[in-house]
Amino acid sequence: MTPAHQRPRLFEPLTLRGLTLKNRVVISPMCQHSAEQGLAGSWHLVHLGKFALGGAGLIFVESTAVEQSARIGVRDVGLWADKQIAPFKAIVDFVHQNGAAIGVQLAHAGRKAGSQALWEGGRALTMEQLHEAGEPWRRVGPSAVAAGPEWSVPDALTLDEIAETRQMFVDAAKRAEQAGFDVLELHFGHGYLVASFLSPQSNLREDEYGGSRENRMRLGLEIAADVRAAWPAEKSLFVRISAVDGTEDGWGLDDSVVFARELKAIGVDVIDCSSGGLSDETRNMNVPRGLGFQVPFSEHIRREAEVRTQAVGVILDGHQAEAILQEGKADLIAIGRQALYNPYWPHHAAHALGYDSGFEHWPLQHGPWLAKRAPLMEKLKFTDNSVKSLAGSGH
């Protein structure tokens, strides 16, 4: 095992206000579309709980709607009602019992509310399809501009409705506190409500919420300030943004630096740096998709706004993650789909980096069994390649 003074940066603790994360590995919010009436269930307990067993420092619940009609998909979780607190608390308790911190991402889908699950095609549902479910659905945005050809034209929010939306975020934050969450993240990216206010491509308003960049940032900054005031001072607040929204002449990286500075001044602790998603058009992405393709956004915002950042996007192994941290490009590493592929990613990264050669950091119910088997595996030189060879031989 690597001595403490040689500990990889990926496995150094990080203190955020009153919370000290045991490492820099974060499980990114990932929509599961598996809730009924916005209630987390057994699927969510197992889905999120396995990441705690897998060794992550911080685990985020998927995009969690602040209003029933603000869901991305019809079976998304929510915190718009008190009955949704207790199911989340059961998950929070399990994650805490297994050594990890847990956060929840609060979101309003805005003009992109109401879509199929990915395994159903992931397409926008028509308003007729949404109303067939017998639930109140309404797409809203800054202006009557659709998110793409498949999406219905949203209703432009009135000033009174904007005020009501701000209160929805505050109420959801208070419920998150009752559920025992350690961290809140506000979803201001991927073309959802606040992102649509930020971009000049979707925000055509002529009042105090439109026009200049200052005005277009107003709703996001107001929500962040409202939530920061309602969320306990000792608990951290993250904000996910699309550093570039992917549209021609849309929201860009320089805009994100200004926004990040303002969010930091309000009391936001970490900027979670994603990209794209404003509309069906994403041709103007600054970099092609590839390994760590969004890391340059995290690095730039971290340096220019002097704020902690979280890198996310095709980060596949421990060595890649460690290099990002060592080079000062991020403070936290978010793993998404790679954690679905390998829920024990943090443990395997620790092993690859020479930090946990003896399974010391695995759950007690797992580690001793693996340690007991280790000499045999070493003797047999039983590696992934040998498994493939064995499978290929027909044995």
Side-chain angles (χ1 to χ4, degrees):
M1 180 174 171
T2 303
H5 68 278
Q6 297 178 13
R7 179 186 304 175
R9 190 156 179 77
L10 188 61
F11 293 95
E12 288 182 355
L14 178 65
T15 297
L16 298 169
R17 295 184 181 252
L19 174 69
T20 297
L21 302 176
K22 66 180 179 181
N23 59 47
R24 310 297 183 96
V25 182
V26 179
I27 302 300
S28 198
M30 291 178 279
C31 287
Q32 298 298 290
H33 304 303
S34 298
E36 297 294 340
Q37 299 180 337
L39 297 167
S42 56
W43 175 266
H44 302 91
L45 174 61
V46 175
H47 166 67
L48 297 163
K50 69 178 181 282
F51 299 130
L53 302 182
L58 174 60
I59 299 158
F60 272 110
V61 175
E62 65 197 77
S63 174
T64 300
V66 300
E67 182 187 16
Q68 190 170 3
S69 65
R71 290 168 290 171
I72 296 170
V74 295
R75 296 187 65 196
D76 285 0
V77 292
L79 271 173
W80 67 79
D82 289 348
K83 67 180 180 180
Q84 295 158 338
I85 297 170
F88 274 135
K89 189 175 188 311
I91 296 170
V92 169
D93 289 347
F94 181 87
V95 169
H96 286 165
Q97 289 161 11
N98 287 278
I102 183 167
V104 60
Q105 183 189 70
L106 300 183
H108 191 304
R111 62 188 195 147
K112 293 176 71 176
S115 61
Q116 297 171 324
L118 185 60
W119 57 86
E120 296 171 339
R123 303 171 73 90
L125 294 169
T126 66
M127 294 308 295
E128 290 75 17
Q129 289 173 315
L130 290 172
H131 289 148
E132 285 174 4
E135 297 178 353
W137 282 93
R138 183 185 178 216
R139 291 185 175 126
V140 298
S143 307
V145 178
E150 295 183 355
W151 297 92
S152 61
V153 175
D155 296 330
L157 287 175
T158 67
L159 293 180
D160 286 344
E161 288 170 337
I162 286 174
E164 291 169 1
T165 300
R166 291 171 56 184
Q167 188 60 46
M168 290 173 192
F169 276 90
V170 170
D171 293 343
K174 291 178 179 178
R175 294 187 183 102
E177 165 62 11
Q178 292 179 60
F181 284 106
D182 303 297
V183 177
L184 273 186
E185 177 167 275
L186 302 175
H187 198 345
F188 289 175
H190 299 177
Y192 301 127
L193 183 65
V194 172
S196 68
F197 269 80
L198 293 174
S199 179
Q201 294 299 320
S202 48
N203 185 345
L204 308 181
R205 300 176 75 99
E206 296 180 351
D207 61 9
E208 62 264 43
Y209 288 95
S212 68
R213 179 172 62 192
E214 179 183 8
N215 284 354
R216 287 182 279 112
M217 293 193 305
R218 189 180 305 278
L219 178 59
L221 295 178
E222 286 179 342
I223 290 173
D226 292 342
V227 170
R228 180 69 273 177
W231 187 236
E234 70 275 12
K235 293 192 174 188
S236 285
L237 180 62
F238 288 36
V239 169
R240 170 165 282 195
I241 64 170
S242 286
V244 296
D245 67 23
T247 62
E248 196 72 33
D249 298 321
W251 181 265
L253 189 54
D254 290 341
D255 299 314
S256 289
V257 169
V258 174
F259 192 40
R261 288 178 185 146
E262 294 291 335
L263 289 168
K264 178 185 176 183
I266 286 170
V268 170
D269 302 291
V270 177
I271 304 297
D272 183 1
C273 301
S274 189
S275 63
L278 182 71
S279 69
D280 293 345
E281 299 292 327
T282 57
R283 295 174 298 191
N284 196 40
M285 295 298 294
N286 288 18
V287 293
R289 288 180 178 268
L291 288 175
F293 73 104
Q294 294 172 150
V295 172
F297 304 141
S298 170
E299 178 184 16
H300 186 82
I301 291 170
R302 184 177 188 266
R303 181 181 65 247
E304 297 301 320
E306 297 182 315
V307 64
R308 286 191 172 109
T309 60
Q310 179 169 290
V312 62
V314 199
I315 299 173
L316 300 183
D317 62 34
H319 291 287
Q320 180 191 6
E322 178 69 8
I324 292 167
L325 295 173
Q326 290 285 356
E327 293 165 9
K329 297 177 178 178
D331 299 276
L332 291 161
I333 301 294
I335 307 299
R337 276 166 269 200
Q338 194 65 8
L340 298 180
Y341 182 73
N342 175 12
Y344 286 82
W345 188 97
H347 290 316
H348 292 155
H351 185 81
L353 294 169
Y355 181 56
D356 189 4
S357 59
F359 304 99
E360 295 95 339
H361 297 136
W362 289 63
L364 290 175
Q365 297 92 332
H366 296 173
W369 290 104
L370 295 172
K372 185 176 181 180
R373 188 186 68 162
L376 175 62
M377 299 295 281
E378 178 63 26
K379 180 180 179 180
L380 296 175
K381 301 296 183 185
F382 207 69
T383 65
D384 287 343
N385 289 333
S386 61
V387 172
K388 293 174 184 176
S389 299
L390 192 62
S393 69
H395 293 293

